[in-house]
Structure formats: C-alpha cells, structure tokens
Amino acid sequence: MTDIIHLLPDSVANQIAAGEVIQRPASVIKELVENSIDAGANQIKIYIKDAGRTLLQITDNGCGMSETDARMAFERHATSKITSASDLFSIRTKGFRGEALASIAAIAQVNLKTRHTEEEIGTEINIAGSKVTSQEPVNCAKGTNIAIKNLFFNVPARRKFLKSNSTELRHIIFEFQRIALAHPEAELVLIHNDAEIYNLPASNLRQRIVYVFGKHINQNLTQLNTETSIVNVSGFIGKPEFAKKTYGEQFFFINNRYMRHAYFHKAVLKAYEHILPPDTVPSYFIYLEADPETIDVNIHPTKTEIKFEDEQAIFQIIHASTKEALGKFNITPSIDFDSETAINIPVMNRHTEIKPPSIEIDPEYNPFEKEHYNRGNFSHGSSRSRDNATHWEKFYDGFENPNLHPDSFKPEQEAVQTTFTSSGSAGSSGHIQLRGRYILTSVKSGVMIVDQKRAHERILFEKYIHMFAHASSPAQQQLFPESIELDPADYSFLSDILDDVNSIGFDIRSLGQNTVVVYGCPADLNNPHPKDLVEHLIEEFKNTEGAVKISAKERIARSLARSTAIGYGNTMEQEEMRELIDKLFACENPNYSPSGKLILTIIDIDEIEGKLK
Ligand code: ADP
Ligand code: MG
C-alpha cells in the first residue's frame, strides 16, 4: 500500500494560518500597526483605499529592517521578538508568533520598502501569494513602508465574504481606536480614499481619548488609579448620566494591549449598579498593568483574549477602583471616600482563596414602580428591568448575528390562535396589570397574558412601516435643532442610512467632522427626543448588520418602535390597557414583536381546571 501523508507546501500552510490571523482588512491594519509599534515607531500613517480591499499601506519611522531581515520577515515562524519558549512568559511586544507577514503575503500582493536606522540604503521586496517576485536595493526613508494590495486576491471565497465597504471601514476604525488608545504617545494618521479620518498628535491619555471620541467626552471622564501587588489599574471612566445606549466606548488594555474581557466588564458594571439610566452602558478606558508572567496572551491567534492567573482578585480590584472613581463624582452614596487618598485595597496573595463579595438586595424593589405611565400615547417609559448583562452579550455577538432578522426567528411554538377580538375587549372584561409588565385578560378559552412592552413595540412598528409606505409625514421642524457629535464609526453608520431616514420625515443633516444636526423629526413620533432616537437607530443598525436582507426602512421602524415603546414598570390605567390590547389586535401580526419575541400567550381553562382539581 502506498503512503498517503505528506507535508503541505509552505504557501498552503501560510494560507491556512492566514485564515486565523487575517479575517478582514482591519486584521491587516492591526498586525501591521502593531509591528510598527514593536519597531519603536512614534509616527505611523495608514492609507487605505476602498475600505482596504484594494490598498492598505502603513508607513512608520521605526527601526526598519536589514536586507536579510526583510526577506526573513515573510517566513512562517520568523520573528525577532522571542527566541525560546520561556520568553513566552515575559512578552512585552505586541507580536511574537511570527506569522502575520507570512500570512498576509500568502493572500495578497505585498510591496515592502524598509531601511534600517544604521544603513544608508534600503530594501524593496515584492511578494504575492507567498512567492517573492523581486528583491532589490532601494533609496527610501528610514523605517518601513508596506503596501498590501488586493487582499484575498487568490482566495475568492474570503474575498466574497467581505462585507460592504462601510462595514469593513468601521472594523478598521475600531482597530485604529484600540491602537490609538493603547499608544497615545504615537502620532497616528488614518486616511481613507484621500479623506482624513483621524490625525492624532502624540498626547497624554486624556487628550487622546478626547481626540478619538470628540470634545464632548472630556467633561464626562474621571480618573482611575489603584496600585496593588497583583495589578495596577489606571485610566478613565465615564459619568453614569452620560452612559450611552450603544456600545463603542468600552476598552480594557493589559500592558498596553487591547483585550476583551467579559468577566472584568461585569466588575465595572457592578460598580455602576443602580446609578445608570435604563438600557445604557457606561464608557470606560481601563488600563491594567500586570507582570507578564501572570498572564497568557497566547490563547488566541489575534491575542485579544487573555487569561489571568488571578481573575477573581483582579475582578475585585477593578470593581473597587471603579467604585472609588465614581465616588469622586459624588454619586455613589455608599462609601465615604477621601477623594485625594487612594483606596485601601487589601493586598492579596495569589494563593489565598478569594470570596466574591456579597451584597444584600431587595429583589422586590423597583425604583421605577412609582413612575407614572404617560397617558394616551404610551410614551417612552423606563425599562430598567433588562439586566445590563444582556448588553454585554450583545456587545460580543451582536454585530453580525444573523439571528437578529425577524424572519429568521423560528417560533418555538405555533402562533397563538386566539378567539379574542378587539371588539370583545371593549366590553365587560377588565384587565389586570401584573408587576408593571404583563396585562391579564379573560378570554373565551382561558386567561390571556400580554407582554406590554412587546405589544407596544409591535403596534408602533406597524405604524411606522405604514408611515414609511405612505411617506405622509413631513418633518416637524425642531424649535432648537440639536447637533450631535458622533464617533467616526457611528457617523459612518448614520451617513449610510441618512437618505432613508430623511425620506420618512426626519431632517437630519451632516455638518461634516462627525457631527449631524437634527432639524426635524416625523410629526407623529411618540418620543421625539432626537439624540435618543439617533443613538437607537445606530444601535439597531449595528446589531442587525450582516443579517439576512432586511430593508433599511424596516430596521429604522424597529429601532424607532423600540425607543418609543412603553417600558416595563409603568402603571397603566384600565383605559390605557384596553387601548393597547385593541391596537395590538388591529395589527397584522399580533403574536410576535418586531424582533421575533412572543407577545402573548393563553393559559387554557383546562389547565386552570387541572390545577384546581
Ligand atoms: P511578529 O510580529 O510576531 O514577530 P510578523 O510576521 O508580524 O511577526 O513580523 C515578523 C518580523 O518582521 C518581526 O519580528 C520584525 O522583526 C519584522 N518586522 C515586521 N514589521 C516591521 C516593521 N514595521 N519595522 C521593523 N521590523 C518589522
Ligand atoms: Mg507582528
């Protein structure tokens, strides 16, 4: 029998590795800019064309490479950053796996010009699909200039998988923001199709945050600073009242490397417990410094997931540090801090057992119970009940979750066929509101339970869809047009949909510089609070991005319905409940909310009888 196992050619192995490291143009930016930082650069310029599809070019003033190194750099597992396995436990550089350049060269056409600081003449290399096509001496500036053309040119499946230019650009902006916040000492420029998106001078951290997210954020920040033997925590957090409805300003860094950390995020949220407006998430820019020996950055090829030896202790330290900083805003009543002295956090030994702190809460207490439901128009209510943890899940998997399309929701059970008619409700049957959340009504076959918020969302959704179809409502001009400054990613979201949004009765105009002005809103909106609506729109678009085809108008309608629907915890009068139920059953689809959640259910009379046997 013949043997069948053989080694893969390098070009194939590199292409496979590229699948893990390079998912999209933004991954190229991340890898190359990290290389520039590792090379000691403090001026880095990024030029991209067509959201990186045709060109991604990075120029730096770092140490550059010698002729031999320039060639070696494209070999797999070729790195100058570690030499032995033990170095893995003292990583201070961004890279160390030696696979980024090899991967990129396997799936694109690469032109590299580099000159080492100590050399007079530089080296130019052209390489495409892992094949070097030329290498020669060249006159060039000190540092490195690398151009990546036609990404995925030889992997059509990957190229096809790329999203729209605006989506890919947004991913690039997110990567850029992470690098910019990790390295305020570096001058960074990002240019897309000849338009400058960012031009950030070297600065301190606070200024950098302001340059990246806009002037408005400055007054919103307070400083964190906690030093312990396990970890040092520094950075800034945002005031609770400025917390946003959308994600985008939550950052953790460990030893100047951006990371995602769901558990530590909870530590921050816990510090904000009971002081956030409903359905919002606070901004934070939290920098951890820890001994590299106590962390593992090598658990994922993109190195954004990091394992800590002392996660529970760090959780407590982050929580305490955030709480202390919030105390400086004078809004957390619990602890009396001397604002100038640092909080005294017990220094823990790595091996002592750590118990999560316990707090006593009254699960029945609802701070919004008293809030009276706005009569007549089911106007915007507060919905505190949704745990902030749900935001977090959204943060991690929402962006391209195909399940968010309403059509893709497969009802778990057949839609409820009710014998209920709208005229029926007007008659004798009274409604009972349960926990500010459900409406109970007696119907022929038993007891019907309606979720008030979902019901109202459905009603509004259909109303808005109707409004769009008939384009009936001209914009009602705002008395005081509100200008809203967005971060570039959100601005690009909104610019994409501005025409559609305006076609249904908004009058939102772009001022450039990531700022829009809301001159008008549709006349019959329940909650014409422009900033709120715009934030919701953007959130909705982020969350449905990449979903199966769902029209822009439908997404707008969903978003508006959500932001203007009555929340949980609002007390409703008989008349109001009746109106809600009537309108629900006048809807085309009273069973499911626009995002596919069940609105109502019926407890059968047989079931009730069974229970009372
Ligand atoms: P890694 O960063 O993990 O070492 P890469 O494939 O990204 O692997 O890069 C390989 C090597 O090429 C690096 O270790 C570094 O020595 C060199 N290199 C890459 N980019 C630059 C740059 N912009 N300036 C100087 N050297 C670079
Ligand atoms: Mg690298």
Side-chain angles (χ1 to χ4, degrees):
M1 207 168 88
T2 48
D3 298 326
I4 49 171
I5 300 179
H6 56 91
L7 284 175
L8 289 174
D10 273 355
S11 57
V12 179
N14 287 341
Q15 237 191 57
I16 294 170
E20 289 192 329
V21 189
I22 308 297
Q23 280 117 23
R24 53 178 9 127
S27 336
V28 176
I29 296 292
K30 171 181 187 290
E31 293 297 335
L32 296 183
V33 179
E34 287 188 350
N35 279 347
S36 299
I37 297 274
D38 282 345
N42 60 6
Q43 287 181 331
I44 302 168
K45 287 197 173 121
I46 307 168
Y47 302 87
I48 47 181
K49 284 224 154 74
D50 308 319
R53 262 170 228 273
T54 43
L55 176 72
L56 296 141
Q57 184 170 11
I58 283 87
T59 315
D60 70 48
N61 66 346
C63 64
M65 285 177 261
S66 71
E67 189 187 342
T68 321
D69 281 353
R71 178 63 194 81
M72 268 300 279
F74 291 101
E75 295 294 330
R76 201 141 64 98
H77 310 308
T79 180
S80 56
K81 299 169 194 174
I82 58 171
T83 49
S84 69
S86 59
D87 293 345
L88 280 172
F89 303 102
S90 53
I91 300 275
R92 285 275 170 198
T93 50
K94 306 275 157 193
F96 57 85
R97 297 168 60 111
E99 57 189 0
L101 289 186
S103 300
I104 293 167
I107 48 157
Q109 297 152 356
V110 180
N111 171 269
L112 168 77
K113 289 194 202 94
T114 185
R115 176 154 73 92
H116 194 268
T117 355
E118 286 159 17
E119 283 168 22
E120 292 297 310
I121 198 96
T123 305
E124 176 169 9
I125 292 181
N126 282 299
I127 176 167
S130 296
K131 285 201 184 65
V132 178
T133 53
S134 75
Q135 168 160 6
E136 43 201 42
V138 70
N139 265 321
C140 63
K142 278 181 191 162
T144 300
N145 179 345
I146 184 165
I148 313 301
K149 290 179 196 153
N150 302 322
L151 189 66
F152 299 129
F153 80 101
N154 55 352
V155 203
R158 295 305 291 272
R159 206 174 160 86
K160 234 171 52 196
F161 175 79
L162 292 178
K163 301 276 158 44
S164 70
N165 278 7
S166 52
T167 304
E168 294 303 337
L169 179 62
R170 231 145 25 228
H171 283 281
I172 289 172
I173 290 172
F174 293 146
E175 275 315 335
F176 182 91
Q177 290 176 344
R178 292 166 188 167
I179 299 163
L181 293 171
H183 294 282
E185 75 285 355
E187 187 185 317
L188 294 169
V189 179
L190 176 65
I191 294 170
H192 179 235
N193 289 343
D194 299 326
E196 191 176 277
I197 298 184
Y198 282 113
N199 187 345
L200 309 175
S203 53
N204 65 29
L205 178 59
R206 188 178 192 124
Q207 288 165 334
R208 177 54 59 97
I209 295 172
V210 169
Y211 280 127
V212 173
F213 292 103
K215 282 193 289 304
H216 64 279
I217 203 168
N218 195 24
Q219 58 186 34
N220 167 14
L221 298 173
T222 187
Q223 202 161 2
L224 291 181
N225 213 340
T226 304
E227 294 188 2
T228 72
S229 59
I230 303 169
V231 70
N232 292 344
V233 182
S234 62
F236 294 89
I237 57 167
K239 287 185 190 171
E241 63 268 35
F242 283 93
K244 287 191 170 175
K245 291 216 167 7
T246 60
Y247 278 95
E249 292 175 7
Q250 291 71 36
F251 295 87
F252 280 119
F253 299 89
I254 169 71
N255 298 345
N256 289 331
R257 180 194 299 280
Y258 169 81
M259 68 165 179
R260 296 166 165 239
H261 210 294
Y263 184 54
F264 294 165
H265 175 77
K266 289 206 182 107
V268 177
L269 284 193
K270 209 157 146 11
Y272 280 87
E273 224 166 33
H274 306 308
I275 53 174
L276 280 182
D279 293 327
T280 61
V281 57
S283 306
Y284 61 80
F285 309 88
I286 298 181
Y287 294 70
L288 308 179
E289 285 287 337
D291 181 345
E293 251 190 66
T294 65
I295 62 176
D296 183 358
V297 277
N298 199 22
I299 52 175
H300 193 264
T302 61
K303 309 180 219 93
T304 46
E305 275 155 48
I306 291 165
K307 235 170 103 83
F308 289 76
E309 218 173 86
D310 288 314
E311 289 206 340
Q312 294 194 16
I314 298 174
F315 179 99
Q316 295 201 40
I317 295 165
I318 293 174
H319 175 250
S321 184
T322 310
K323 198 103 182 164
E324 185 215 2
L326 284 171
K328 289 188 200 147
F329 286 137
N330 275 338
I331 30 88
T332 40
S334 47
I335 317 173
D336 189 12
F337 286 113
D338 176 357
S339 59
E340 292 311 313
T341 52
I343 183 168
N344 187 15
I345 292 173
V347 173
M348 279 163 277
N349 182 305
R350 240 176 252 150
H351 306 289
T352 49
E353 200 202 326
I354 292 156
K355 293 201 186 73
S358 61
I359 47 161
E360 280 185 12
I361 52 154
D362 172 7
E364 299 299 314
Y365 176 69
N366 177 352
F368 293 91
E369 203 101 79
K370 294 269 144 51
E371 196 171 300
H372 200 74
Y373 163 69
N374 196 343
R375 280 157 168 270
N377 65 357
F378 307 116
S379 179
H380 69 294
S382 313
S383 103
R384 178 98 190 188
S385 54
R386 201 157 20 122
D387 190 302
N388 276 306
T390 60
H391 281 301
W392 184 235
E393 285 151 23
K394 244 196 277 171
F395 184 35
Y396 273 132
D397 55 28
F399 274 25
E400 273 154 27
N401 186 345
N403 294 327
L404 285 164
H405 185 262
D407 293 348
S408 67
F409 281 96
K410 290 276 166 296
E412 280 164 17
Q413 55 179 101
E414 275 302 301
V416 181
Q417 290 300 322
T418 80
T419 50
F420 183 93
T421 59
S422 54
S423 58
S425 75
S428 54
S429 73
H431 303 285
I432 297 168
Q433 195 188 18
L434 191 64
R435 296 201 166 216
R437 193 181 173 108
Y438 303 112
I439 298 169
L440 273 53
T441 307
S442 125
V443 292
K444 220 174 181 177
S445 55
V447 176
M448 179 178 69
I449 305 171
V450 171
D451 180 302
Q452 71 186 47
K453 181 165 193 275
R454 294 178 190 173
H456 196 211
E457 265 181 52
R458 163 55 61 186
I459 294 164
L460 293 173
F461 173 76
E462 293 198 5
K463 172 177 154 188
Y464 297 144
I465 287 285
H466 182 82
M467 273 164 59
F468 297 167
H470 298 87
S472 54
S473 38
Q476 174 148 313
Q477 297 300 310
Q478 297 287 116
L479 213 48
F480 303 104
E482 188 170 354
S483 92
I484 305 172
E485 193 182 335
L486 300 163
D487 85 65
D490 286 353
Y491 180 75
S492 122
F493 270 112
L494 190 60
S495 307
D496 273 2
I497 54 168
L498 208 53
D499 285 349
D500 275 321
V501 173
N502 284 340
S503 79
I504 53 117
F506 279 92
D507 183 1
I508 302 178
R509 294 178 225 164
S510 170
L511 268 193
Q513 308 244 313
N514 303 324
T515 305
V516 295
V517 181
V518 182
Y519 287 97
C521 292
D524 41 358
L525 278 188
N526 282 318
N527 169 19
H529 198 293
K531 195 153 191 282
D532 239 35
L533 292 175
V534 168
E535 280 187 2
H536 264 275
L537 266 175
I538 292 168
E539 187 193 14
E540 191 75 20
F541 269 67
K542 277 183 184 166
N543 287 338
T544 53
E545 190 159 37
V548 229
K549 279 271 166 273
I550 152 169
S551 78
K553 289 194 170 124
E554 192 176 326
R555 283 160 78 181
I556 294 166
R558 268 169 64 168
S559 152
L560 291 179
R562 256 213 250 190
S563 53
T564 54
I566 181 182
Y568 296 125
N570 291 289
T571 318
M572 294 173 82
E573 304 291 334
Q574 272 302 318
E575 184 57 23
E576 292 160 346
M577 289 191 274
R578 193 186 59 76
E579 193 185 330
L580 186 81
I581 300 289
D582 281 354
K583 284 188 172 162
L584 176 66
F585 284 94
C587 284
E588 258 171 55
N589 183 358
N591 288 303
Y592 291 98
S593 76
S595 52
K597 297 209 180 93
L598 204 56
I599 294 174
L600 59 91
T601 186
I602 288 179
I603 301 179
D604 221 64
I605 195 77
D606 294 345
E607 210 179 320
I608 299 171
E609 276 170 4
K611 280 193 195 300
L612 291 173
K613 258 204 187 110

